[in-house]
Amino acid sequence: MTHILEFAGVGLDKKDGIFGKSDPYLQFIRVDDNSPVHITEYVKQNLNPEWRKLYFNQKRFGNEQDPTVLVECWDWDSGDSHDLIGTFRAKCSELAHTGSEFQLVSKKGKNSGKIVVKSAAENVLPPFPKVTERKEEPVKKEEPPKKDNDPASDEFDFEKFTLSLEQETPKEMTKEERDIFDENKLANLFADFQAGKGETKEYQDALILAVQRGKPDIVRALIASERVDPAFNSNEPIRMSSISKNGAESMRILLTDPRVDPTTYDIPLSNSCHYGNEEMVKMLLSDSRINPSSANNRALRNAIDGTHKNVVKLLKGSRQNRSVTSGKGLALEVGLRRHQWNLLGGLRRRKLTGIF
């Protein structure tokens, strides 16, 4: 059973020094093998954070009727040494109850804040997608060739022969026809999935189509099943979501699954910066695994090359970007090459790096 849960923290401990706060995030861990199942984004400088909705799959925590879950609250740091704020254990049924409160306990056995379930609702599978019927033209019967169709004949009609060849050549689908085709294919694949039919490759095709078509409910239903691996083919689903116009919600769902690695080839962030998708960039930057300055500042290069000023500012303000100064020369090079004076603040040549 899958639930849609919203968690909030209350009075969490400070971990960023006397004048700082904490950047908390939650991990939900399967007890029998100590493996993470769900992870939230981190919330900057907040001792009373509210995390985004989490799609909580009870089956992934064990085969028991009501398995126990280990919940850890961490303070995210720009390095790899994240600080543990506290932990608690709870049954899945307790976590899926609105208003439940849980006391965090630190390593030293002291109270370090509370975690509250703001809302909990059972996730209902989306209705079976309606298959759009296509009107097919009646197939014309081919007439047997006549004797005068022989090119060697004096009565051969070359114009008629050329026209017949054009009619036999298959036409490419229009955008509307391709949309209908993809919708029908997704509907059929998802119907097989719900019925327990089909093979792994078909489930993977359904996941990719759901991401491309902007169907987050279907994405959620597919990755909640143990039959579907959301990280197949080097994390192809999240890579595809980063180039989809309607892929933001699908990306948000994929990021909550620890099997998904958003750092694969640095493509998700680089693509989001290339297309100027601010919502996706913000989402990825809130993930503790992302390093925006990796791959020689590829994300910064793409944002500047695409003239996406707001995305450049997001990258500049990211706490994870530990080598932002090394991006100055790159930004200057790309900016000059593309003559993006407005993007670089309309400053003089000697001050072009001032945006950084």
Side-chain angles (χ1 to χ4, degrees), residues 306-340:
T307 70
H308 305 303
K309 185 173 182 179
N310 290 336
V311 174
V312 173
K313 290 182 177 179
L314 287 173
L315 292 169
K316 170 195 170 185
S318 171
R319 290 186 59 192
Q320 301 104 301
N321 202 332
R322 299 184 291 276
S323 59
V324 68
T325 54
S326 67
K328 290 183 179 180
L330 173 63
L332 177 60
E333 175 191 343
V334 178
L336 286 173
R337 179 166 54 83
R338 292 290 302 267
H339 304 291
Q340 302 300 345

Side-chain angles (χ1 to χ4, degrees), residues 78-254:
S78 57
D80 296 328
S81 57
H82 307 312
D83 300 318
L84 180 65
I85 296 175
T87 66
F88 69 88
R89 292 178 182 243
K91 295 287 188 180
C92 285
S93 58
E94 296 173 322
L95 293 171
H97 186 269
T98 303
S100 294
E101 293 187 7
F102 306 96
Q103 183 68 58
L104 288 171
V105 180
S106 68
K107 287 182 178 179
K108 297 180 179 181
K110 297 181 179 180
N111 294 341
S112 53
K114 291 183 179 180
I115 300 298
V116 179
V117 181
K118 284 186 60 183
S119 67
E122 186 176 346
N123 182 38
V124 181
L125 285 176
F128 179 74
K130 185 178 180 181
V131 178
T132 307
E133 295 183 0
R134 295 179 62 186
K135 294 182 180 180
E136 297 184 359
E137 297 181 359
V139 180
K140 296 181 180 180
K141 295 183 178 180
E142 295 183 1
E143 297 180 0
K146 297 179 181 179
K147 291 183 180 180
D148 59 0
N149 280 345
D150 182 2
S153 171
D154 294 336
E155 299 179 1
F156 176 69
D157 190 338
F158 184 79
E159 183 177 352
K160 183 177 180 181
F161 176 72
T162 304
L163 180 62
S164 67
L165 286 179
E166 291 176 353
Q167 291 175 345
E168 291 174 4
T169 304
K171 296 181 180 179
E172 293 185 2
M173 288 186 183
T174 64
K175 183 180 183 303
E176 183 179 355
E177 290 173 336
R178 169 57 65 180
D179 288 342
I180 294 174
F181 177 83
D182 287 345
E183 287 285 346
N184 287 346
K185 183 178 179 180
L186 176 58
N188 292 329
L189 289 172
F190 189 62
D192 288 343
F193 167 79
Q194 289 180 309
K197 302 177 181 178
E199 299 178 356
T200 302
K201 179 63 170 63
E202 293 172 334
Y203 300 155
Q204 293 174 349
D205 291 343
L207 182 55
I208 294 298
L209 278 173
V211 168
Q212 292 175 328
R213 306 296 303 169
K215 305 289 185 181
D217 287 340
I218 295 181
V219 172
R220 188 181 306 119
L222 288 169
I223 70 171
S225 169
E226 295 180 352
R227 293 175 288 166
V228 182
D229 178 9
F232 75 90
N233 194 19
S234 299
N235 290 276
E236 183 178 355
I238 196 167
R239 289 190 284 119
M240 294 302 298
S241 71
S242 66
I243 61 174
S244 173
K245 292 182 179 179
N246 303 313
E249 185 60 27
S250 296
M251 177 181 284
R252 181 175 287 110
I253 294 168
L254 290 166

Side-chain angles (χ1 to χ4, degrees), residues 55-98:
Y55 299 90
F56 189 88
N57 184 2
Q58 177 176 321
K59 290 183 178 179
R60 291 177 58 189
F61 289 95
N63 298 322
E64 300 89 350
Q65 186 174 357
D66 191 9
T68 299
V69 180
L70 172 61
V71 183
E72 297 178 341
C73 183
W74 290 83
D75 169 44
W76 178 87
D77 286 326
S78 57
D80 296 328
S81 57
H82 307 312
D83 300 318
L84 180 65
I85 296 175
T87 66
F88 69 88
R89 292 178 182 243
K91 295 287 188 180
C92 285
S93 58
E94 296 173 322
L95 293 171
H97 186 269
T98 303

